[in-house]
Every structure is written in C-alpha cells, then in structure tokens.
Amino acid sequence: MTQHPTPQKVEGTTRLEAFSDGVMAIIVTLLIFELHVPQLPDLSSQSVLNALWVLSPKLISFGVSFFTVAIYWVNHHHFFTRITHTDWKLLWANNLLLFWLTIVPFTTAFIGDYPTQPLVVALYALVLGLAGMAFALMGYYAFFVGQLIAPTVSLPERRREYARAWIGTGLYLASALIAFIYVYAALFILAVIPLSFVVPTLMQAEE
Amino acid sequence: MTQHPTPQKVEGTTRLEAFSDGVMAIIVTLLIFELHVPQLPDLSSQSVLNALWVLSPKLISFGVSFFTVAIYWVNHHHFFTRITHTDWKLLWANNLLLFWLTIVPFTTAFIGDYPTQPLVVALYALVLGLAGMAFALMGYYAFFVGQLIAPTVSLPERRREYARAWIGTGLYLASALIAFIYVYAALFILAVIPLSFVVPTLMQAEE
Amino acid sequence: MTQHPTPQKVEGTTRLEAFSDGVMAIIVTLLIFELHVPQLPDLSSQSVLNALWVLSPKLISFGVSFFTVAIYWVNHHHFFTRITHTDWKLLWANNLLLFWLTIVPFTTAFIGDYPTQPLVVALYALVLGLAGMAFALMGYYAFFVGQLIAPTVSLPERRREYARAWIGTGLYLASALIAFIYVYAALFILAVIPLSFVVPTLMQAEE
Amino acid sequence: MTQHPTPQKVEGTTRLEAFSDGVMAIIVTLLIFELHVPQLPDLSSQSVLNALWVLSPKLISFGVSFFTVAIYWVNHHHFFTRITHTDWKLLWANNLLLFWLTIVPFTTAFIGDYPTQPLVVALYALVLGLAGMAFALMGYYAFFVGQLIAPTVSLPERRREYARAWIGTGLYLASALIAFIYVYAALFILAVIPLSFVVPTLMQAEE
C-alpha cells in the first residue's frame, strides 16, 4: 500500500494507540490515589459525612479531571480511526499531548487542595489548554502536512475538525485568564466543559 | 462490511477494550498499594503475626475487591466478544463504568480502615452498584438501541443477559441499604457475591 | 474455525494477554516506588553511598522481584503462543495467577524492610509458590481438560511442560519451609531461581 | 512463513511490544507522582510562585525524564517495525532494557531532591547509559546473531543503526564521569540529549 516506507513513515498506528491508551488509562485511574482515606475521630456516620464534606473539593476535582481526560481519550480514539500512517513528527506531537496530560494529576491534586486560589486554578486550566494545543498541532500536521490520513476524509471535513480542536483549547486558555478576574467563573467553565462535550453526544437522536 | 461509517459509529472495539483493560489492570494491581509494610516492634515471628492480624481487614478487603473487579473484567470480556461496532454513546457508557470502578481503590481502602462503619460499607456497596448500573446501561444501549451487536445473538439471548446484568447490581444496592440495618449481613453479601460468580463457573461440567 | 462458539469458549486470547500484560507491567514498574529517596544529612558523596548502603536490601529485593515477575511474564508469553481458545475456567485460573502476582510488591517491600525475618521470607516465597501453583493449574486445565491448545502440540510435549511448571513452584514452596530452618539458605535460593531460568536461556548455543 | 517454529523462536512481536508499552507508559505517567502538592503558608499567588520555585528542580527533572523515556519509546517503536520474530534471548535483552528504565523514576526523584550532588547526577546518567547498552545489545542480537529482522533491511543499514545506538549510550556514560569533574556540565548534557534527538526530527524537511 505504501510504496517506499522509510523509517520516518510507517503504516499503522497500533503502537501509538496502545502507548497512549496506557498513559491515559493510568492518568484516569491514579487520580483517585490523591484521595487519602480520612482519619475519623469516632465511628459515627456524622464523622464519615464530615470527612467526605472536607474531601468534597478533591472529589469534585477528581470527577472533573476524570471526564476531562476521558474526553481527550474519546477524541484521540476518533482522531486515529482515520489516521493510516505514523511518522516521527506525529509520534512527537502525540508525546507532547501525553506530556501535558501526565501533569493533570498534579494540577488536579493542587486544585483539590486550593480550589479558589486564582493561580492554582489558572495552572490547572493552562495545562489542559496546552494539551489542547498539542492535539490541534497533531491534527494540523496529520491533516494538512504529513498526509497521514485516509484520503476518503475530504478537505472541508479536515478543516471543520481542525477548527473544532481549537474550541476546547480556547475555552481552557480563556479560563486561565478569567481565573485572575473571578475565580468562580473559571471553575464553572472548567466543570461545564466536560458536560458540554458529553451531553450533546448523548442527546443526539439515533439515526 | 459497514456501509456508511460515520464518526459516531465505527467497526471494531479494539481500543475501547485496550483502554478498559488498562484501567482495570491498574485498579486490581494498585489495590495492594494501600497495604503498607507494618513497622514491627521487634524481629520475632509473633510480631509479624500480630502485624498481619492488624492488617487482616485490609487484606480481606483487598482480596474481595480484586475478585470483584476481576468479575467486571470477565463480564466485560464476555460482553465485547459479541459487540462488533462502537459509537460515542457506547464509549461514554463504558467511561461511566470505568469511572465508578476507579473509585473502588478508595472505597476499598476506606472499608479496610473502618470495616464495620455502616456508612463506609454502604459507600463501598453503592459504588459497585453504580458500576453495575453503568454496565446494565451499556448492555441496554448495545443490545436494543444502538444495534452494535453481532446479529447472530438472538433477541431472547440479549434479554436474558440484560436481565442478568441487574442481579449483581441489585445485590450491591441492597447491601448498601442492609449496611444501615445490620452491617455484618452487608459485609457477608459483599464477600459472597464474587464467590457466587466464580464458583458456579468452576463447578460447571465440561461438555 | 471453531464451529459452535459458546459464551464459555471463544477463539483468541488477545484480551486475556492484554490484561495480563497490563497487570505484570504495572507490578514490575511499581516495585521501584517502594524505594523512597533517602534524606541525606549533608551533600557529600559519602552520605549518598551510606544512604544507598542502607537501601541495599530494598534494591536487591527490587531486582530479584523484577526478574522473578519477568520470568512469569516470559513463561506466560510462551504458554499463550500455543493456546488458541479461552473459556471462563481459563480466565479464572489466569486471574488467580494474577492475584498472587499482585501481592508480590507487598511481600517485596516487606522483605526489603526485614530481610532476615524467617516468617517474612517464608511469606515472600509462599506467594511466589502459590503463583506457580496457579500457573501449573492453568497449564493442567488448558493442556489436558479444556482442550484449548493447538493440536500440533503433542501429548508428551504437554506432559513435559506441565512437569516443568512444578519445578519452580516446588523450589518456592521449599524455600518457604527452609526459611524457618536457615533463613540465609532460603534467601540464596530465592535470588538464584531467576538466574537459573535466565542464564541457561542465554548460554544456549544458536542453532 | 517460519517453517519450524520452536518455543524459542516465534513469529510476531505483539506481546513484547504491549508489555514494553505498558512499562514505558507507566514510567512516564508516574514520574509526576514524585511532585507532591506543596503546603502553602497562605493563599497569596506569591506563595504559589514560591512553592513552584522550590519545586522547579523536580519539575525540570520530571520534564527531562519524560522526554528521555519518550525517546526510548520512539526508538523502541522504530526498532520493532522491522523485527519479525522473537526468541527468548530477545525477550531477555528487552527485559534488561525495561529493568534499567524502571529505575528512572527513582533516579529522577533523587536528582530532583539533590540536583547538584555529583554522585546523584552520575547515578542518573549511569542508569540511562545502562539502558542504552541494553538497547544496543538487543540491536546487536536481533540484527547480527538471531536473524530476527526483516531480510529487506540491508546489512549496511543494520550497521549504521547499531552504531547510532552507541551514540546516546556513550553520551550518558560520559555524563556520569563528567558529573564528578563539573556537575553543571553533566546536567547540561543530560538536558540537551532529549532535545538533540527531538529537534532534528522536527526540523527535517518534508519530502
């Protein structure tokens, strides 16, 4: 199918997908390990409820980060259903995406401890924005430069999808700025972004 | 084979399975990391036995959770042997299942520390019940709505399997309630459920 | 190829292998996380050497456990090159093997802290012996009962390989007993077993 | 294709790749877990900046290690696009490579705590050099001894690639020595090596 495969360009994306699946599976699973079991003062149910209440910012940041990384995984899954070849530039664009995603557990734990500190919130949003930029870069390269995509995917479709990649990215970068103005607005946007991806998918009528 | 593949519906379940395998493999492996090496007062074997005795609720909750998540994996494995396509709704139903499962290490550690606290036991059971509900939802969608299953699987068979998905779920949700009435009964049910899945499989005569 | 696939028996071992690869990859990788960075009293190289000397039992137990689990992986890899089908009994025999292997990081950390405590050494050996027994059970079932193996593998070959599965198991169970008599002999056997598997492989002349 | 497959030599590298992907995915993802959330004295942004400044050696060592292990992964990916068979010697050469890589999180955390201690820097470099040696050994065996490579890869090409495998290795081993003479030079080399691999890849003009 490919005529002159060079070390730079090979058919198939299996290993890139397996490595990325591994990294993202570990990220979503390890998020919970920042939730340490609370020490209860006594064995009453009231103490358990109090402890869960104290943990609630961490529980919420865990849930938001889980679904945020899950969206990256779903988009990654969708992206690579059409990619037919890999080369080293694509591998490195993907590695850059994974790099930012591996920082998410750290910023999640940080925001769980200091949920209203503007700089902490901005850092959380910035890392997700940088991950989004890496994804957009990967799309730009695969769609328009490296020709690594199935030729059946039309140019208008590629343009549409590339444009979409910037929406989430723009929202995360905007949240990073908004955090310094009104931190609760930034938190609201960060929590709503996963919903805005998932809900329309689920609402969509069956064909 | 599929005629008009859309971004929403694609053939094959490899990546969904790989991502789920990754998440479940990490969950069962990391459960043990809640078991910290005890500090022994001296080097006698009696001290080791005492330390293991103190650890025993954690050891038991580790074992029960390992085999509980392993059952989810075996069922997931069985479920996807017949699924031929994925779409975004299936991905999100699966992500919801994985979300509840990633909480299991936290509730396992919690129940290991407070094995007879009713609310802690109820939380442990509730998370497994919610995972069961997500699995049932995934089955309902794949079997009856999204038509993502091999057509050779007959409708009565789908109905039977869907009904079975609610048995474990019902038992977990019931345990969550029973925990507030008589916590030892709930613990007994939680420990017996994995056995009730595994033992009949092993007892079953070879054809 | 298979004519009447039932839910119990399906062709292919991909997911079983992927799940097992995941579990074993996590085990060997996380072993190092029991090695905490030492607090140095000052920045001299002597302090670093002292700290590494104090860490040395943990470093050795890390290395031995890494290569011990790696042997299980190599054997698992070899075993499944000939297995053509899976059924639920095979899945559960494999889950039992993985269960014992997931305890290895705990017993490794334990033996790293108390390297000459007989009961701790016996526990380390016992868990590996139980893993070996689960592997032998899996072999017995796949080779002689479930008929899940390629028919090209002759009966004498199956018998030979099944017998071999008991050698390592027997050595581990023996070490568990020897630990109570002379703990250094047990430690010596535990360290030598991985070498006795790896070295002959490497020595073997190319055909 | 292979005529007399023996247990020692089998076609395909899927599981070796899956296991290696798992190990490397976990290594790069867990590096961040050495970055603990700082305790802030107050909620000012100045405190956050101070805390990040204190964390900066760990952040840098995290970033360098991420891209260093990512280079090993890219090279591993490239290497196995041409390998067609595995045997036990190849599995063990690969396991040796993975063994050294699993130590990277420990040496990364160590250098993050003591970034200018010569012996700590030398250890960090040494472990990467030993990983490079294991990779070179794997290449030597697969290319020249075991004949596990696609015959289309010419002998000059194998020699060229094998020679290249020693460049990085040589640089790491040299850094380990340089650390004792002038530690900052060693740190500079360690940080620059990943760039020297990634940048030329990205600079390279599209054909």
Side-chain angles (χ1 to χ4, degrees):
Chain A
M1 207 165 282
T2 66
Q3 282 194 318
H4 298 289
T6 69
Q8 284 76 34
K9 187 164 178 175
V10 292
E11 210 180 340
T13 58
T14 314
R15 272 200 82 178
L16 183 153
E17 294 177 23
F19 184 64
S20 307
D21 283 349
V23 170
M24 289 188 270
I26 300 158
I27 292 168
V28 297
T29 315
L30 289 181
L31 287 168
I32 199 75
F33 281 83
E34 294 295 336
L35 278 168
H36 300 295
V37 171
Q39 295 301 312
L40 303 178
D42 58 69
L43 287 176
S44 70
S45 287
Q46 191 54 45
S47 297
V48 178
L49 287 175
N50 291 346
L52 291 175
W53 176 252
V54 171
L55 273 179
S56 62
K58 281 172 178 274
L59 283 163
I60 293 166
S61 66
F62 157 71
V64 170
S65 290
F66 182 96
F67 285 103
T68 301
V69 177
I71 285 168
Y72 276 97
W73 181 79
V74 169
N75 288 343
H76 199 273
H77 176 279
H78 174 53
F79 184 79
F80 280 97
T81 52
R82 281 92 30 87
I83 301 296
T84 57
H85 291 73
T86 54
D87 63 11
W88 281 352
K89 290 184 189 178
L90 188 76
L91 293 184
W92 282 110
N94 189 56
N95 283 344
L96 189 63
L97 166 63
L98 296 179
F99 175 71
W100 296 119
L101 290 181
T102 59
I103 300 178
V104 170
F106 174 71
T107 51
T108 301
F110 212 169
I111 209 175
D113 277 350
Y114 303 101
T116 58
Q117 211 294 328
L119 185 51
V120 172
V121 174
L123 275 173
Y124 181 88
L126 180 65
V127 167
L128 291 170
L130 290 166
M133 283 177 73
F135 208 139
L137 177 76
M138 188 163 76
Y140 183 80
Y141 178 70
F143 289 173
F144 305 119
V145 183
Q147 301 298 342
L148 306 169
I149 192 168
T152 52
V153 183
S154 71
L155 199 58
E157 206 178 319
R158 295 179 200 193
R159 285 202 188 113
R160 225 175 14 247
E161 195 160 327
Y162 176 65
R164 258 205 302 268
W166 279 101
I167 298 176
T169 306
L171 283 169
Y172 282 121
L173 296 178
S175 311
L177 294 175
I178 292 167
F180 294 106
I181 302 164
Y182 186 51
V183 74
Y184 293 99
L187 290 170
F188 179 78
I189 298 170
L190 291 170
V192 160
I193 292 173
L195 294 176
S196 73
F197 274 72
V198 178
V199 172
T201 306
L202 303 185
M203 286 299 146
Q204 186 186 306
E206 289 303 310
E207 292 156 58
Chain B
M1 205 166 283
T2 65
Q3 283 194 317
H4 298 290
T6 68
Q8 284 74 37
K9 187 166 178 175
V10 290
E11 209 179 340
T13 58
T14 314
R15 273 201 82 179
L16 183 152
E17 294 177 23
F19 183 64
S20 308
D21 282 349
V23 169
M24 289 188 270
I26 299 157
I27 292 168
V28 296
T29 314
L30 289 181
L31 287 169
I32 198 75
F33 281 83
E34 294 294 338
L35 279 168
H36 300 295
V37 171
Q39 294 302 312
L40 303 178
D42 58 68
L43 288 175
S44 70
S45 288
Q46 191 54 47
S47 297
V48 179
L49 287 174
N50 290 346
L52 291 175
W53 177 252
V54 170
L55 274 179
S56 62
K58 281 171 178 275
L59 283 163
I60 294 166
S61 66
F62 158 72
V64 169
S65 289
F66 181 96
F67 285 103
T68 302
V69 177
I71 285 168
Y72 277 96
W73 181 78
V74 169
N75 288 343
H76 200 273
H77 176 279
H78 174 53
F79 184 78
F80 280 97
T81 52
R82 280 91 31 86
I83 301 295
T84 57
H85 292 72
T86 54
D87 63 12
W88 281 353
K89 290 185 189 178
L90 189 76
L91 293 185
W92 282 111
N94 189 55
N95 284 343
L96 189 62
L97 167 62
L98 297 179
F99 175 72
W100 297 118
L101 290 181
T102 59
I103 301 178
V104 170
F106 174 71
T107 52
T108 300
F110 211 170
I111 208 174
D113 277 350
Y114 303 101
T116 56
Q117 211 294 329
L119 185 50
V120 172
V121 174
L123 275 173
Y124 180 88
L126 180 65
V127 166
L128 291 169
L130 290 167
M133 282 176 74
F135 208 138
L137 177 75
M138 188 164 76
Y140 183 80
Y141 179 70
F143 289 172
F144 306 119
V145 183
Q147 301 299 341
L148 305 170
I149 193 168
T152 52
V153 183
S154 70
L155 199 59
E157 207 178 317
R158 296 178 198 194
R159 284 202 188 114
R160 221 171 22 242
E161 195 160 327
Y162 176 66
R164 257 204 303 268
W166 280 102
I167 297 176
T169 306
L171 283 168
Y172 282 121
L173 296 178
S175 311
L177 294 175
I178 291 166
F180 294 106
I181 302 164
Y182 186 51
V183 74
Y184 292 100
L187 289 170
F188 179 78
I189 298 170
L190 291 170
V192 161
I193 292 174
L195 294 176
S196 73
F197 273 72
V198 179
V199 172
T201 305
L202 303 184
M203 286 298 145
Q204 186 186 307
E206 290 302 310
E207 292 155 58
Chain C
M1 204 166 283
T2 66
Q3 283 195 317
H4 298 290
T6 68
Q8 284 76 37
K9 187 165 179 175
V10 291
E11 210 178 340
T13 58
T14 314
R15 274 200 82 178
L16 183 151
E17 294 177 24
F19 184 63
S20 307
D21 283 349
V23 170
M24 288 188 272
I26 299 158
I27 292 169
V28 297
T29 315
L30 289 181
L31 287 169
I32 199 74
F33 281 83
E34 294 295 338
L35 279 168
H36 299 295
V37 172
Q39 295 301 312
L40 302 178
D42 57 68
L43 287 177
S44 71
S45 287
Q46 192 55 47
S47 296
V48 178
L49 287 174
N50 290 346
L52 291 175
W53 178 251
V54 171
L55 274 180
S56 62
K58 280 172 179 274
L59 283 163
I60 294 166
S61 66
F62 158 70
V64 170
S65 289
F66 181 95
F67 285 103
T68 302
V69 177
I71 285 167
Y72 276 97
W73 182 78
V74 169
N75 289 343
H76 200 272
H77 175 279
H78 174 53
F79 184 79
F80 280 97
T81 52
R82 280 91 31 85
I83 301 296
T84 57
H85 291 73
T86 54
D87 63 11
W88 282 353
K89 290 184 188 178
L90 189 76
L91 293 184
W92 282 110
N94 189 55
N95 284 343
L96 190 62
L97 167 62
L98 297 178
F99 175 71
W100 296 118
L101 290 181
T102 59
I103 300 178
V104 170
F106 174 71
T107 52
T108 300
F110 211 169
I111 208 174
D113 277 349
Y114 302 101
T116 57
Q117 210 294 329
L119 186 50
V120 172
V121 175
L123 275 174
Y124 180 88
L126 180 65
V127 166
L128 291 169
L130 290 167
M133 282 176 74
F135 207 139
L137 177 75
M138 189 163 76
Y140 183 80
Y141 179 70
F143 289 172
F144 306 119
V145 183
Q147 300 299 341
L148 306 169
I149 193 169
T152 52
V153 183
S154 71
L155 199 58
E157 206 178 319
R158 296 178 198 194
R159 283 200 189 115
R160 225 175 13 248
E161 195 160 326
Y162 176 66
R164 258 204 303 268
W166 279 101
I167 298 175
T169 307
L171 284 169
Y172 283 120
L173 296 178
S175 312
L177 294 175
I178 292 167
F180 295 106
I181 303 164
Y182 186 51
V183 74
Y184 293 98
L187 290 170
F188 178 78
I189 298 170
L190 291 171
V192 160
I193 292 173
L195 293 176
S196 73
F197 273 72
V198 178
V199 173
T201 305
L202 303 185
M203 286 297 144
Q204 186 186 308
E206 290 302 309
E207 289 156 59
Chain D
M1 205 166 282
T2 66
Q3 284 196 314
H4 298 289
T6 69
Q8 284 76 35
K9 187 165 177 174
V10 292
E11 210 180 338
T13 58
T14 314
R15 273 200 82 178
L16 182 152
E17 294 176 24
F19 184 63
S20 308
D21 283 348
V23 169
M24 289 187 270
I26 299 158
I27 292 169
V28 298
T29 314
L30 288 181
L31 288 169
I32 199 74
F33 281 83
E34 294 295 338
L35 279 168
H36 299 295
V37 172
Q39 296 300 313
L40 303 178
D42 58 68
L43 287 177
S44 71
S45 288
Q46 192 53 48
S47 296
V48 178
L49 287 174
N50 290 346
L52 291 176
W53 177 252
V54 170
L55 273 180
S56 62
K58 281 172 179 274
L59 283 163
I60 293 165
S61 66
F62 157 71
V64 170
S65 290
F66 181 96
F67 285 103
T68 302
V69 177
I71 285 168
Y72 277 97
W73 181 78
V74 169
N75 289 344
H76 200 272
H77 176 279
H78 175 54
F79 183 80
F80 279 97
T81 51
R82 281 91 31 87
I83 301 296
T84 56
H85 291 74
T86 54
D87 63 12
W88 281 352
K89 289 184 190 178
L90 189 77
L91 293 185
W92 282 110
N94 189 56
N95 283 343
L96 190 63
L97 167 63
L98 297 179
F99 175 70
W100 295 118
L101 289 180
T102 58
I103 300 178
V104 170
F106 174 71
T107 53
T108 300
F110 213 169
I111 209 175
D113 277 350
Y114 303 100
T116 57
Q117 210 294 328
L119 186 50
V120 172
V121 175
L123 276 173
Y124 180 88
L126 181 65
V127 166
L128 291 170
L130 290 167
M133 283 177 73
F135 208 138
L137 177 75
M138 188 163 77
Y140 183 79
Y141 179 69
F143 289 173
F144 306 118
V145 183
Q147 301 299 340
L148 306 169
I149 193 168
T152 52
V153 183
S154 70
L155 199 58
E157 206 179 318
R158 295 178 198 193
R159 285 203 187 113
R160 225 173 15 245
E161 194 160 329
Y162 176 65
R164 258 204 304 268
W166 280 101
I167 298 175
T169 306
L171 283 169
Y172 282 120
L173 296 178
S175 312
L177 294 175
I178 291 166
F180 294 106
I181 303 164
Y182 187 51
V183 74
Y184 293 99
L187 290 170
F188 179 77
I189 298 170
L190 292 170
V192 160
I193 292 174
L195 293 176
S196 73
F197 272 72
V198 178
V199 173
T201 306
L202 303 185
M203 286 299 145
Q204 187 186 306
E206 290 302 309
E207 290 156 59

